[in-house]
Amino acid sequence: MQRAALLDAARSLLSEGGTEALTFPALAERTGLARSSVYEYFRSRAAVVEELCAADFPVWAAEVAAVMERAPTAESKVEAYVRQQLALVGDRRHRAVVAISASELDAGAREKIRAAHGGLVALIVEALGELGHEQPRLAAMLVQGVVDAAVRRIELGAAEDPSVITDAAVAMALRGVRG
C-alpha cells in the first residue's frame, strides 16, 4: 500500500510540476512518510520513474489500442492513434506519462521509455503497411514523432487551441506537408 501511495504521489507531483517536482522530500511530504522511508521503496528518482513507466505506459497503450480497434479503415486507425494520444495529454491520469516522456533521465529509465514507446508505435505499423508504406515501422516512428511534437506544443500552452494542434497533427500524419 505504501508503494502504491508513493506512485500516486509521484503521478501527482509529475502532473503538477513536471520532473523537477518529483523529489524524495516531496514524495515523503505527500505520503506522510519519513524521507528515509521513501528510500526503502525506491533507490532513486529514476527507479520511481521506471516503475511508473511499467505501470502507466501499458494503460496508455491499451486506451489507444481500444480506440484504434473500433476504427474501420487503416487511415482511420492512424487518425485514431494520433487523436487518442493527444486526447490523453489532457487527462490527469496520464499527465505523468507526458511528464516522464519529456524528462531528462538516466540511461536505464530512458531505455524503459523507449521500449514502452516501441510497443505504442507497433500499434500502427500494420495500418501504415496497408496504406502502402514501404517501410511501415519507420513511418510509424515518424508518426510518433509528430505526436510527440504535438504533445510538447500542447504542454507548452501554445497559442493554438489543443484541438487545432490535434487536427494539424492528424493532417501531418495522414497527408504530410501537403496539409
Side-chain angles (χ1 to χ4, degrees), residues 145-167:
V146 169
V147 171
D148 292 343
V151 165
R152 284 190 301 280
R153 188 92 182 134
I154 290 169
E155 283 294 300
L156 286 173
E160 305 90 0
D161 186 83
S163 66
V164 171
I165 295 169
T166 298
D167 290 344

Side-chain angles (χ1 to χ4, degrees), residues 66-80 127 130-131:
V67 171
M68 289 178 66
E69 285 174 18
R70 294 190 296 271
T73 66
E75 185 171 311
S76 63
K77 286 181 187 312
V78 172
E79 180 173 353
E130 288 176 29
L131 289 173

